[in-house]
Amino acid sequence: MTERFDCHYCKESLFGKKYLLREENPYCVKCYESLYSNSCEECKKPIGCDGKDLSYKDRHWHESCFHCFQCKKSLVDKPFAAKDEHLICTECYSNEYSSKCSECKKTIMPGTRKMEYKGNSWHETCFICSRCQQPIGTKSFIPKDNQNFCVACYEKQFAMHCVQCKKAITTGGVTYRDQPWHKECFICTGCKKPLSGQRFTSRDEFAYCLNCFCNLYAKKCAGCTNPISGLGGAKYISFEERQWHSDCFNCKKCAISLVGRGFLTERDDILCPECGKDI
């Protein structure tokens, strides 16, 4: 007795007929297509076993249905893009949606590398330094007057140079006595700490922080012996080659302030008229 060879689903004999295997079970073409064939996204009909099934992101098409949504040209073996679930050839996509190069004004085709800055786009080969004409690529650049410059060309053409180290100042900087400085080069002559953003003064055209200036040049208060800077409008009292902070100019005995009042002296001390009446 001959062993039966039937379709796993409809049980019809497969002898002498075309069949397909799935999980080691044989199916007639009709059952296989009914059970397992994908439906075409375009025409909604099953994609038969004798046709080519083209797929993209879990979606399927007949070979004849796989075409550009706009111009209807075949996309088989051609690059394409997707927009709002529609497949579009690169030519239609670029005409409709792609950026235009700010330099050559031509379309930047999908899949090609482009450079972007502040809403503008360039072909990689068009994004070049306005001075040396070399591609900038991913290197640092500096924009000026609607042009882009590589750092080296910008420094040569536009940047001020630090009066201290003689190198170009590309960002920030400090101006002192009409001369440019790097922030890190503008330092106290005494302690060498940066002066940018700090109060400072100068002597003989050299800049000093307040601490160094007071320690080096300021007179000392006869009351507390600390330096009197006199900076920022700070008031002090001077008498017979001696100086006092306003807060320190007090009677030696009763400690009343003598600022704007009469006073007497006894050796190195100053006294109010009341405390000095017995001198």
Side-chain angles (χ1 to χ4, degrees):
M1 181 177 179
T2 306
E3 184 179 355
R4 292 187 64 80
F5 184 57
D6 300 336
C7 170
H8 183 70
Y9 186 75
C10 70
K11 307 305 181 183
E12 288 188 8
S13 175
L14 296 176
F15 280 114
K17 297 179 181 179
K18 184 178 179 180
Y19 67 91
L20 298 100
L21 290 174
R22 185 180 178 91
E23 297 176 356
E24 298 185 2
N25 295 315
Y27 292 84
C28 66
V29 172
K30 183 178 179 181
C31 288
Y32 186 91
E33 290 182 347
S34 175
L35 293 171
Y36 302 115
S37 289
N38 297 304
S39 294
C40 176
E41 285 284 326
E42 179 71 13
C43 69
K44 310 304 179 185
K45 296 178 181 179
I47 301 173
C49 300
D50 55 348
K52 185 179 291 187
D53 184 336
L54 302 178
S55 65
Y56 173 72
K57 289 188 175 181
D58 296 326
R59 299 161 66 198
H60 300 264
W61 290 262
H62 291 106
E63 186 174 13
S64 59
C65 295
F66 193 62
H67 52 69
C68 172
F69 176 74
Q70 292 190 354
C71 69
K72 307 305 179 184
K73 291 181 180 178
S74 174
L75 296 177
V76 178
D77 297 327
K78 294 180 181 179
F80 62 89
K83 181 73 174 177
D84 299 329
E85 297 189 356
H86 298 301
L87 303 185
I88 304 174
C89 68
T90 53
E91 183 177 354
C92 288
Y93 186 91
S94 61
N95 291 335
E96 189 77 18
Y97 305 109
S98 291
S99 304
K100 298 294 189 293
C101 176
S102 295
E103 179 66 23
C104 69
K105 311 306 178 186
K106 294 180 181 178
T107 298
I108 301 175
M109 299 296 287
T112 60
R113 192 172 183 184
K114 69 176 179 179
M115 316 305 292
E116 294 181 306
Y117 177 70
K118 287 191 174 181
N120 293 320
S121 301
W122 292 263
H123 292 107
E124 185 178 19
T125 53
C126 293
F127 190 58
I128 59 176
C129 171
S130 296
R131 188 172 188 268
C132 68
Q133 301 297 302
Q134 293 301 307
I136 294 174
T138 57
K139 295 181 291 186
S140 297
F141 68 96
I142 301 172
K144 182 177 176 64
D145 300 331
N146 296 321
Q147 294 180 307
N148 299 313
F149 296 87
C150 66
V151 174
C153 285
Y154 182 87
E155 291 179 355
K156 290 176 184 176
Q157 188 161 339
F158 301 109
M160 295 185 292
H161 288 72
C162 175
V163 69
Q164 177 68 22
C165 69
K166 313 304 180 187
K167 295 180 180 179
I169 302 172
T170 55
T171 58
V174 176
T175 299
Y176 175 64
R177 293 186 181 274
D178 295 325
Q179 292 182 314
W181 306 66
H182 289 113
K183 289 182 178 180
E184 59 271 22
C185 292
F186 188 57
I187 58 176
C188 171
T189 305
C191 66
K192 308 303 181 185
K193 292 182 180 179
L195 294 176
S196 178
Q198 309 295 324
R199 292 182 65 197
F200 66 92
T201 187
S202 63
R203 186 180 178 97
D204 300 328
E205 297 189 1
F206 293 103
Y208 293 88
C209 68
L210 298 190
N211 284 339
C212 287
F213 182 84
C214 289
N215 291 333
L216 291 171
Y217 301 112
K219 296 180 177 3
K220 302 298 188 290
C221 175
C224 68
T225 70
N226 289 326
I228 301 173
S229 69
L231 298 172
K235 295 181 179 180
Y236 64 95
I237 311 300
S238 180
F239 176 71
E240 292 184 350
E241 297 183 358
R242 290 188 294 167
Q243 287 79 30
W244 292 261
H245 294 108
S246 293
D247 293 340
C248 297
F249 192 58
N250 304 321
C251 174
K252 181 66 175 179
K253 290 186 177 181
C254 69
I256 190 172
S257 175
L258 299 176
V259 176
R261 304 176 63 175
F263 61 90
L264 302 171
T265 62
E266 182 182 16
R267 297 183 181 88
D268 290 336
D269 298 331
I270 54 173
L271 304 169
C272 67
E274 184 65 24
C275 293
K277 65 183 179 180
D278 296 332
I279 296 175

